[in-house]
Amino acid sequence: MVVTESERLTLRHALPDDVVAMRTVFGDAEVMRYGDGPKSDRWVVSWITQMNHSYREHGYGLWGVTFKPSGLPIGYCGLTWFPSINGQPEVEVGYRFARKHWGFGYATESAIAVRDYSYIDLGLNRLIAIIDPENRRSIRVAEKVGMQYEGGVMLPGYSHADSVYACHR
């Protein structure tokens, strides 16, 4: 199911057939550098199942991003609900793309499409991005989307605080 589109990209529900394409995202140590490391195909299958559960439960999740000219998945971008970030519920914009698709503006383009969709179609008033303070590329994307640094957050299981960026409708 298509959720939203931008000039070059389509954001849609993650599909079981996306496992091979998402291997280039989740299986790449450099892409997962600021996460918890590369993941197996089995993990990706579980992630796709979790995203489909999130679509049903929350009406959103992390969506597969496809490049319109080829129709092929190149990464993901979407929304994740957190019950408590610094004591309040939040919805985060998250994005990751296969390394060969870095540097073309796809993360910014898809994150802007998600921001606009969340404001217009979902009626959300605030979005955050939780970013490792060393991840300059992701910080630049958040800033281009209109987010500003708000402070830090120490997530369970982490050894260091992440930065919280936010924007409002």
Side-chain angles (χ1 to χ4, degrees), residues 70 86 113 150 160:
S70 68
N86 292 332
E150 280 198 343
H160 66 280

Side-chain angles (χ1 to χ4, degrees), residues 64-141:
V65 177
T66 62
F67 185 57
K68 283 182 178 180
S70 68
L72 297 175
I74 61 172
Y76 73 79
C77 184
L79 302 169
T80 302
W81 182 76
F82 284 87
S84 179
I85 297 296
N86 292 332
Q88 68 180 25
E90 296 279 11
V91 177
E92 181 200 29
V93 176
Y95 36 85
R96 272 203 175 107
F97 288 82
R99 194 169 2 151
K100 72 179 185 178
H101 299 290
W102 290 3
F104 297 99
Y106 300 140
T108 300
E109 185 175 329
S110 62
I112 288 170
V114 166
R115 178 202 63 198
D116 294 349
Y117 175 81
S118 70
Y119 290 165
I120 296 165
D121 295 282
L122 299 177
L124 300 176
N125 292 313
R126 172 182 162 86
L127 296 171
I128 66 165
I130 302 168
I131 305 171
D132 185 298
E134 299 295 317
N135 190 344
R136 296 298 314 151
R137 287 177 178 265
S138 190
I139 290 169
R140 281 194 305 273
V141 170

Side-chain angles (χ1 to χ4, degrees), residues 1 12 26 87 122 128 150 159:
M1 181 177 118
R12 58 154 174 79
F26 291 115
L122 299 177
I128 66 165
E150 280 198 343
S159 60

